[in-house]
Amino acid sequence: MFKLFRNIDKSKIVKTAEILINNNINAFEVSYNSHDAIKQIKLLKEHYPNAKIGAGTILNIEDLKKITSETELDFIFTPSINEEVLKYSKKNNINLIPGVFRSEEHTSELQ
């Protein structure tokens, strides 16, 4: 199980994560379009180095390069399939979970 953090106040994210970890939820996605997303990811990694921390709502290659250069992520989520993001993730060993609506979308991008 994992928990999505979107627009959580930076002062509350560590305590919220602690409560979740104490209840066996140790994977967290911080939505990249949240205010202070990079700071939130860094806080979570600092306080909970064994938790799996990822970023979501990665829309393009620029977002991906920025967040991976400034944070240590275990995975990223995308709300769609972006070929540049897929190629960059593969080349740089970034665990990518692309969002798709139909299975055909996923298989067409794998070819």
Side-chain angles (χ1 to χ4, degrees), residues 73-92:
L73 295 170
D74 295 298
F75 59 89
I76 64 164
F77 278 113
T78 63
S80 60
I81 294 178
N82 178 308
E83 191 172 339
E84 284 184 302
V85 170
L86 288 171
K87 287 179 181 178
Y88 185 87
S89 296
K90 183 177 180 180
K91 180 180 175 185
N92 293 282

Side-chain angles (χ1 to χ4, degrees), residues 17-98:
E18 178 185 348
I19 292 167
L20 293 166
I21 287 170
N22 289 337
N23 286 282
N24 298 316
I25 299 171
N26 63 355
F28 308 105
E29 171 197 351
V30 176
S31 180
Y32 185 63
N33 62 1
S34 294
H35 183 67
D36 287 332
I38 290 174
K39 289 179 184 176
Q40 290 178 7
I41 291 167
K42 287 180 178 180
L43 278 171
L44 289 170
K45 279 299 214 181
E46 176 185 327
H47 286 86
Y48 306 106
N50 294 325
K52 300 296 182 197
I53 312 296
T57 321
I58 303 300
L59 300 175
N60 53 53
I61 193 73
E62 292 81 17
D63 290 349
L64 179 58
K65 286 180 177 180
K66 180 170 175 54
I67 198 149
T68 56
S69 70
E70 295 187 31
T71 63
E72 293 182 32
L73 295 170
D74 295 298
F75 59 89
I76 64 164
F77 278 113
T78 63
S80 60
I81 294 178
N82 178 308
E83 191 172 339
E84 284 184 302
V85 170
L86 288 171
K87 287 179 181 178
Y88 185 87
S89 296
K90 183 177 180 180
K91 180 180 175 185
N92 293 282
N93 284 332
I94 298 167
N95 294 317
L96 169 68
I97 304 163

